Amino acid sequence: MINVTELRPGNYFEDGGNIYLVLDILLNKTAMRKMVAKVKVKNLRTGAITDMSANSGYQVEQIRLDKKKMSYLYDNGEFLVFMDQETYEQIEMPKSNLEWEMKFLKENLEVEIVTYNDEILGINLPAKVALKITETEPAVRGDSVNKALKNATLETGLVVKVPLFIGQDEEVLVRTDTGDYDGRA
C-alpha cells in the first residue's frame, strides 16, 4: 500500500477494483487542512480519463503491469489477433478496446501487450509508425506563403495532413500519440 501523495506520473495503482495510470498529480496544502492530492488518472479497463481527489492519509495499492512484445497478425472482424514471436502463442483483443490503436496497426507491426494478473488491458504502440499513402490530393501551386499541407489517406484509413511534395504510394512516419505526420519513412 502507498499513500496517495507519493504517486507520480507513470505509476500504476489499483483502487476500488479499477486499475489506473497516473497522468498528473497536484498536491495542495493549506494552513488548517490536511494535504489534498488531485490526481488525473486513466482507467486502463475503460480508457476513461478522470480527476480524483483524496486526503493525504488515503492508501492505494501500487501495482506492476507485465509487458510482452507481440506482433499484430490480422483483423478477424470482431477481434484483433496478436502473436508472440518466440512461443507462437496467439491472443485476441476486442476491436472496441483498441479504436485509437487500430489507426496505426498493420501486419507484422511489433507492439507491447500490457497485462495484469493475466488480464489483457491494452497495447503500447511504437512512438512512430511507417505507413503507406494510398490516396492524396493533388498539390496546389502557389500556396507557399505558409506551411502548405494537403490531406493524405493512409493504408489503415487514417487521414493526415502532409506537405505538398509528398505523393501517393510513398511511406511516411506518423506519430502514434497524436496521429500527425512526422516525416518520410
Side-chain angles (χ1 to χ4, degrees), residues 71-83:
S71 295
Y72 171 65
L73 289 182
Y74 60 90
D75 176 353
N76 74 3
E78 231 179 287
F79 296 94
L80 301 176
V81 181
F82 297 89
M83 181 179 73

Side-chain angles (χ1 to χ4, degrees), residues 84-101:
D84 188 331
Q85 292 293 352
E86 295 171 7
T87 64
Y88 301 109
E89 169 196 359
Q90 292 184 8
I91 61 164
E92 293 181 338
M93 294 184 67
K95 287 171 79 171
S96 58
N97 294 2
L98 302 172
E99 288 180 23
W100 174 257
E101 291 87 348

Side-chain angles (χ1 to χ4, degrees), residues 53-165:
S53 296
N55 288 332
S56 65
Y58 191 72
Q59 300 278 317
V60 294
E61 185 171 343
Q62 191 170 13
I63 60 172
R64 288 194 171 271
L65 299 181
D66 298 321
K67 296 176 182 173
K68 188 179 203 179
K69 294 250 185 231
M70 293 187 130
S71 295
Y72 171 65
L73 289 182
Y74 60 90
D75 176 353
N76 74 3
E78 231 179 287
F79 296 94
L80 301 176
V81 181
F82 297 89
M83 181 179 73
D84 188 331
Q85 292 293 352
E86 295 171 7
T87 64
Y88 301 109
E89 169 196 359
Q90 292 184 8
I91 61 164
E92 293 181 338
M93 294 184 67
K95 287 171 79 171
S96 58
N97 294 2
L98 302 172
E99 288 180 23
W100 174 257
E101 291 87 348
M102 282 175 39
K103 298 174 184 177
F104 307 100
L105 288 176
K106 66 178 188 177
E107 284 187 20
N108 299 320
L109 178 69
E110 193 171 280
V111 297
E112 264 185 350
I113 304 292
V114 180
T115 60
Y116 177 66
N117 289 345
D118 296 329
E119 175 189 357
I120 300 170
L121 297 175
I123 66 172
N124 290 336
L125 294 167
K128 297 175 188 172
V129 176
L131 296 170
K132 186 176 180 180
I133 295 176
T134 57
E135 184 183 330
T136 183
E137 298 173 352
V140 179
R141 288 189 61 125
D143 186 12
S144 59
V145 173
N146 53 8
K147 198 172 173 182
L149 300 172
K150 62 182 179 179
N151 288 330
T153 306
L154 304 176
E155 61 186 301
T156 59
L158 179 66
V159 177
V160 296
K161 296 272 189 194
V162 297
L164 295 178
F165 60 85

